[in-house]
Amino acid sequence: MGLPMALVDVDQALNGRWRAYEHEVDLVRVQDPPVESWPRLREAGFLPKPQVVMWRAEARESEEEYLAALSGKDRYDIRSAFRKAAAAGLQVTTEPLTVPLLTEFLELYERQVSHMRHGWAVAVQQRGNILAEAETYRVVAVRSGGDLVGACLNQDLPANDEMRARFSAVTAGQRGDSLSRVLYAETLREARLRGRRWVTLGRDINLYGHVGNAGLFGFKSRLGFRAVPGQLVEPGSGSHQADRVVRFAELSDPTLLLSYGPVAGEAAAVAAPLWLNLFTSSEDMDVRPFRGVGLAGTTVHTVHPA
């Protein structure tokens, strides 16, 4: 199902008329609110935020330097993922993108998306665009025998000094072994080989609890990636929104989003660290699984549906 949402204007958000919809929707949103209205919207419980976030990390000079910046537990999880892959006899390669490889990947990708509650097979829709730029891609592929069990489509963007992970997928049997950690560590390795400063794990809709789940935020953070407004990486990417979560009919509990910090001016807000907001019906939410890199702070909002 789609997300039950009410779109209201700034006046409706501020004077409380949005409450006419709170029995019917999970989310109340002001689209493109003027920057000067953001302080008043915050006071009314609406959180100004970027529509999309990008996840990026510095590739660093070496794998050792990258791992040293992580916690001991996160370093262990990455090394353990490689040990498990080796013990299972998996073959990890980095290859050019070809039509057969893309076809093989999309089959794997569609199977993964089909098991998601609100899955959206974006890569399938963008197949033509991906092939049109195939020469810019490097694919981290993991095979068991001749079968593809995991892959990450990475686009090399030298003008941006960046390697961008566009799409990834693993088989259901590999998810528990954290094969995704292997894919992203190999993406970082490829970025270093090409002399790129940044690695980006694509873009996410800035609302974890519907298409993307809250656990995705924690996973990317534990790999050392920081969420930044999409506009900071791709000018013109996405818009501004101000959201208020009011129930969990289609949203998961918890739901989270990253809002702008309370700084003056649009440019300063986009450049500043984002603020993590967790929405839950629980009175004693444990925020430890949602620790993030480079956050301005964390706030837990307890939601009692009307």
Side-chain angles (χ1 to χ4, degrees), residues 22 54 78 103-104 113 148 159 212 218 223 285-286 288:
E22 64 181 327
M54 307 284 279
I78 290 173
T103 299
E104 195 176 10
V113 171
L148 189 71
L223 288 171
M285 180 72 194
D286 182 4
R288 288 175 296 178

Side-chain angles (χ1 to χ4, degrees), residues 16 24 64 88 124 148 174 180 196 217 245 274 284:
E24 306 169 22
E64 291 73 22
V124 176
L148 189 71
Q174 293 295 337
S180 292
R196 306 295 175 242
F217 171 90
V245 174
L274 292 171
D284 55 351

Side-chain angles (χ1 to χ4, degrees), residues 3 33 51 56 71 76 113 117 122 146 184 191 250 257 260 282:
L3 177 63
Q51 178 184 2
R56 68 182 339 192
S71 73
Y76 173 83
V113 171
R117 184 183 179 196
V122 180
Y184 295 137
E250 291 298 324
L257 61 81
Y260 294 120
S282 172

Side-chain angles (χ1 to χ4, degrees), residues 19 23-24 33 35 56 65 117 131 138 165 254 274 291 305:
R19 293 189 180 277
H23 298 277
E24 306 169 22
V35 175
R56 68 182 339 192
E65 185 182 342
R117 184 183 179 196
L131 284 177
R138 296 288 292 170
L274 292 171
R291 56 186 169 82

Side-chain angles (χ1 to χ4, degrees), residues 108-121:
L108 175 64
Y109 174 83
E110 282 194 280
R111 287 199 301 272
Q112 177 174 300
V113 171
S114 70
H115 291 98
M116 297 177 180
R117 184 183 179 196
H118 298 293
W120 179 21

Side-chain angles (χ1 to χ4, degrees), residues 55 117 204-222 248 251-258 276-280 285-292:
W55 290 86
R117 184 183 179 196
D204 287 343
I205 296 170
N206 185 13
L207 183 71
Y208 295 89
H210 188 240
V211 175
N213 61 50
L216 182 63
F217 171 90
F219 175 75
K220 291 183 176 182
S221 293
R222 289 192 295 273
F248 302 107
L251 287 174
S252 63
D253 183 358
T255 283
L256 64 86
L257 61 81
L258 294 142
L276 175 62
N277 298 272
L278 284 159
F279 298 87
T280 178
M285 180 72 194
D286 182 4
V287 302
R288 288 175 296 178
F290 305 103
R291 56 186 169 82

Side-chain angles (χ1 to χ4, degrees), residues 37-108:
S37 72
W38 292 4
R40 289 177 296 146
L41 286 169
R42 287 191 188 94
E43 291 175 3
F46 287 80
L47 299 170
K49 69 180 184 72
Q51 178 184 2
V52 297
V53 292
M54 307 284 279
W55 290 86
R56 68 182 339 192
E58 290 198 61
R60 302 184 183 269
E61 294 296 321
S62 67
E63 182 176 356
E64 291 73 22
E65 185 182 342
Y66 160 70
L67 291 172
L70 305 181
S71 73
K73 174 65 165 59
D74 296 336
R75 286 196 298 273
Y76 173 83
D77 287 343
I78 290 173
R79 287 167 173 154
S80 176
F82 275 95
R83 287 195 297 270
K84 289 177 180 178
L90 302 182
Q91 301 86 43
V92 183
T93 60
T94 301
E95 310 170 12
L97 180 63
T98 62
V99 172
L101 179 54
L102 180 59
T103 299
E104 195 176 10
F105 168 78
L106 290 178
E107 291 173 357
L108 175 64

